[in-house]
Amino acid sequence: MKPNDEPILLDDALWDELITLTGGEAAACYQCGVCTAICPWGLVKEETFSVRTLIRRAQLGLPGGADVLWLCTTCGECEAYCPRGVDIPNVFRALRGVAWQRREAPEGLPSLLWSNYWNDNPWGQPPSQRMQWAQDLELPLFDPAEHEILYYVGSTAAYDKRAQQIARALVKVFRAAGIAFGVLGVHEPPDGAEILDVGHRRYFAEVAEQSAEVFRTHGVTRLVTTSPHSYDVFKQEYGRFYAALQPLHYTQYLAELLSAGRLHFAKPLARKITFHDPCYLARHNDETVAPRQVLAATLDTELLEMENSGAETLCCGGGGGRMWLETAAGERFSDLRLDEALETGAEVLATACPFCLACLEDSVKARGIEQLQVLDIAEIVALTVAS
C-alpha cells in the first residue's frame, strides 16, 4: 500500500449478511472474468462495468459499486456461462438489498415499492382500476369447482395500455378453445417479482406470503400467467409459501392445448415472423420449445431465427427493475435486437413478455422503423385461431 492510500476495512458483519442472502453463491467465484466479458452492457457501452469486481466485493464483504449495481437486468447470461455456476443475478439482488439498507437506491425505485405497498401494483394505479381492461368481457370470478385454470393477468397486463391487448387476446384464445377459466378480478394479488429483482427480499417475502394466502383462500392450484416474470417468481419462489401452486406461462399452456387437439386455427398468418425469447422464459426456465410450437401452428412459412436465439437470447433491457429506470439512447439492448430481427427479413418480431414488448416497440418507434411490427404471441394466435 502506498503511504497516502486509505486502508480498506473489511466489514465482517456485512460479509456474513451477504453469505446468508446469497446462500454462499459468491464464494464459488474464482474471478475468471467470463461474466464481465459476456455481459450485454459491453455491446452498448465503450467500457462495460466489471461484474467480477462486484462479485469480489461481495466475497470480501465490501459495500460500494452503487453506480453500476443497478445496471444489471438479471438476464442471467452471465450465470449461463459461469464455469462455477454462480447465481450472479442473486448476488446482485443481495448487494442491492444492502444498498436499500444504506438508502443508496436510485431515484425511481422507492416509488415502485411504495406503489406496491399502497396499490398492490408497481404502476401507481389504484386497485379499483385493475379490471378496466376487461370491462366488456364479463369474466367470471375463479371457482375451483368450475374452472380448469386461474388466468393470472398480472399488474403490467392489467394496467399498461399496450399490454392490456395481450390479456384481451388471451381471453379470446381461451374462449375459442373452450377453456373454463376464471380470474380473481380486483382481488388479484401482486406477484412481487419486481420487488425481488430490485433486491428488497424482505419486503418480497411479505408480499409473497400475503399473495399465496389469497391463492390458497380461493382454491387456486393451476395458474396461467401472462408474463414470464410472474411465471418465474411463482415457480422459483412461491413453493415455500404455497406448495400446491402449479404455475404455467401461457405459451406452455397453449402448447398443451395444441397437443391435446383443443386449439384450432382458421387460417395461417401469411407473414414472415422471427421470435425474441424472453430471458425469464428461455434462460431462467429453459423454455424455448413451447412458444415455437405455438407460433409454428399459426404460420404457413418457416419461423425465422435471429443470430441470438433460444437460451442464447439477447436481453431486451427491461428486467431487473430497469423498466423503472431511464436507459440512455444508444445504450438500449432492444436497438440491437431490432437489427438482428431486420437481418432475418422478418415482417413481424414476436415475443411473449409484456416487458419485452414495451422495450422492442419503444425502439421501433424511436428509430422510425416501419417495415417491422412487434406483436406478442398471444396476439398472433388470436388473429388466426378458429372462433
Side-chain angles (χ1 to χ4, degrees), residues 59-72:
Q59 288 177 329
L60 296 174
L62 290 171
D67 292 341
V68 298
L69 183 58
W70 306 94
L71 288 177
C72 178

Side-chain angles (χ1 to χ4, degrees), residues 191-316:
D191 54 42
E194 296 85 6
I195 301 170
L196 183 63
D197 272 352
V198 299
H200 216 302
R201 183 170 282 276
R202 188 172 301 173
Y203 182 38
F204 165 75
E206 293 179 19
V207 170
E209 187 172 8
Q210 294 167 4
S211 297
E213 184 58 32
V214 173
F215 294 139
R216 186 182 295 107
T217 299
H218 286 84
V220 176
T221 52
R222 207 153 198 245
L223 168 155
V224 175
T225 72
T226 309
S227 171
H229 294 262
S230 301
Y231 166 63
D232 176 77
V233 78
F234 289 145
K235 179 183 176 183
Q236 306 293 350
E237 301 286 342
Y238 271 61
R240 57 197 171 104
F241 302 105
Y242 184 34
L245 199 63
Q246 302 169 28
L248 287 171
H249 183 253
Y250 82 81
T251 57
Q252 296 173 317
Y253 186 59
L254 295 188
E256 279 190 12
L257 298 179
L258 192 62
S259 297
R262 300 178 66 183
L263 193 59
H264 306 281
F265 300 93
K267 56 181 179 180
L269 194 65
R271 301 182 72 183
K272 297 177 181 177
I273 295 183
T274 190
F275 176 59
H276 165 75
D277 293 87
C279 296
Y280 271 73
L281 200 58
R283 197 145 44 225
H284 285 281
N285 289 286
D286 197 28
E287 181 57 81
T288 61
V289 175
R292 285 172 171 78
Q293 287 179 335
V294 176
L295 270 176
T298 69
L299 303 177
D300 64 356
T301 58
E302 184 178 352
L303 181 68
L304 303 172
E305 293 287 2
M306 288 183 279
E307 179 181 348
N308 296 290
S309 62
E312 297 182 356
T313 186
L314 175 63
C315 179
C316 74

Side-chain angles (χ1 to χ4, degrees), residues 29-37 49-59 88 92:
C29 171
Y30 56 21
Q31 293 289 294
C32 68
V34 169
C35 51
T36 299
F49 73 94
S50 178
V51 179
R52 72 173 176 179
T53 297
L54 284 172
I55 301 297
R56 185 59 175 158
R57 298 186 75 89
Q59 288 177 329
I88 298 172
F92 269 76

